[in-house]
Amino acid sequence: MNLLVLGDVMGSSGRIALKNKLPKIITENKIDFVIVNGENAADDGRGITKLIAEEFFLKGVDVITSGNHIWDKKETTDYIEKENRLLRPANLAEGSPGKGYEIYISKNKKYKIGVINLMGNVFMRKTDDVFKVAQTISKKLILKKNIDFLVVDFHGEITSEKMAIGHFFDGLSTCVVGTHTHVPTADTRILEKGTAYQTDIGMCGDYNSVIGMDKENSIKRFFKHKGAVAHFPAEGEGTLSGIIVETDFETGLAKKITRLINGGSLAK
């Protein structure tokens, strides 16, 4: 089975790239399951709406993960209770709307795929201890027992947390990917016990920017220029950034991991 995991979709640039490129990528790479982080997909780069989520599903996305911007659109708190294909971080406060992990069925109806959405504790909104929550969930979603494959999206600011979670889940999950920082790292690999890993898989959006935001305005903000305004997304040609994982059905682990960088300025 082939898994596709895409990084944070950033504003209209990321949405257009996904709309135009994803169906072809699914067909050409014989993708059986697609996970996309959608927490920046709204026009202002903050949050996601029901309309955007449903557009993603129509284009072949199976699950949407998220992070610190999940509640930035008020409608999401109601929508996430009804749509289990949209996840919020599992270590948000107890009683938060929606789910932080779930078991899904692949496009060909043959496989059960667990997906866990976690968020780091450092430099992020206040959450429960991500490592304790990860340990608890790891005992509920077990490869080759109640699921065939397991994907972990760790939405975090610092690399050490992401790497620690990667090593914790090594041998327990098919792959662990980092999201949130919007810049793909160069450590794409399979860990010692068979789990595919990348510290951050980047964003889906315009890389001629400052992590997806308009670069000229961002520079003004850093220089405290009086003409600076609130951050807004860059709207140039978007790049799709993520990974493709070829899996081993017998073990539920990874056989191969390949970086995906498609279109836009990053791919040139």
Side-chain angles (χ1 to χ4, degrees), residues 17 22 54 57 72 160 166 173 180 185 191 219 224 234:
L22 181 58
E54 292 182 346
F57 296 141
D72 284 12
S160 57
S173 70
H180 178 66
T185 55
L191 301 176
I219 292 169
K224 299 179 175 58

Side-chain angles (χ1 to χ4, degrees), residues 28-47:
E28 290 183 344
N29 295 279
K30 299 179 180 178
I31 301 297
D32 299 289
F33 200 79
V34 180
I35 301 169
V36 172
N37 190 296
E39 73 138 20
N40 299 126
D43 286 340
D44 61 358
R46 299 173 179 86

Side-chain angles (χ1 to χ4, degrees), residues 155-169:
H155 198 78
E157 187 73 35
I158 64 171
T159 55
S160 57
E161 279 188 323
K162 294 177 180 181
M163 295 180 84
I165 282 290
H167 289 298
F168 169 74
F169 276 105

Side-chain angles (χ1 to χ4, degrees), residues 27 29 51 67 93 113 115 122-123 152 161 170 193 210 239 251 254:
T27 299
N29 295 279
L51 179 61
I113 300 105
V115 181
V122 182
F123 302 135
V152 180
E161 279 188 323
D170 188 17
K193 297 177 184 177
V210 176
T239 299
T251 64

Side-chain angles (χ1 to χ4, degrees), residues 64-118:
I64 302 171
T65 53
S66 62
N68 53 304
H69 287 293
I70 184 59
W71 307 133
D72 284 12
K73 298 291 177 280
K74 292 182 179 179
E75 68 180 79
T76 306
T77 57
D78 290 328
Y79 179 60
I80 203 169
E81 289 278 33
K82 303 169 186 175
E83 179 52 78
N84 73 348
R85 292 175 295 176
L86 174 61
L87 295 177
R88 46 85 172 167
N91 57 315
L92 291 183
E94 186 176 351
S96 296
K99 297 179 180 179
Y101 64 95
E102 184 59 281
I103 298 174
Y104 304 94
I105 305 297
S106 61
K107 296 181 188 301
N108 60 13
K109 311 298 182 184
K110 291 183 179 180
Y111 309 115
K112 292 182 178 180
I113 300 105
V115 181
I116 304 173
N117 194 174
L118 298 170

Side-chain angles (χ1 to χ4, degrees), residues 16 29 33 36 52 55 91-92 97 115 120 125 159 180 184 200-201 225 227 244 260 264:
I16 292 169
N29 295 279
F33 200 79
V36 172
I52 291 171
E55 288 176 346
N91 57 315
L92 291 183
V115 181
R125 69 165 65 230
T159 55
H180 178 66
D200 200 290
I201 55 174
H225 191 282
I244 296 173
L260 174 74

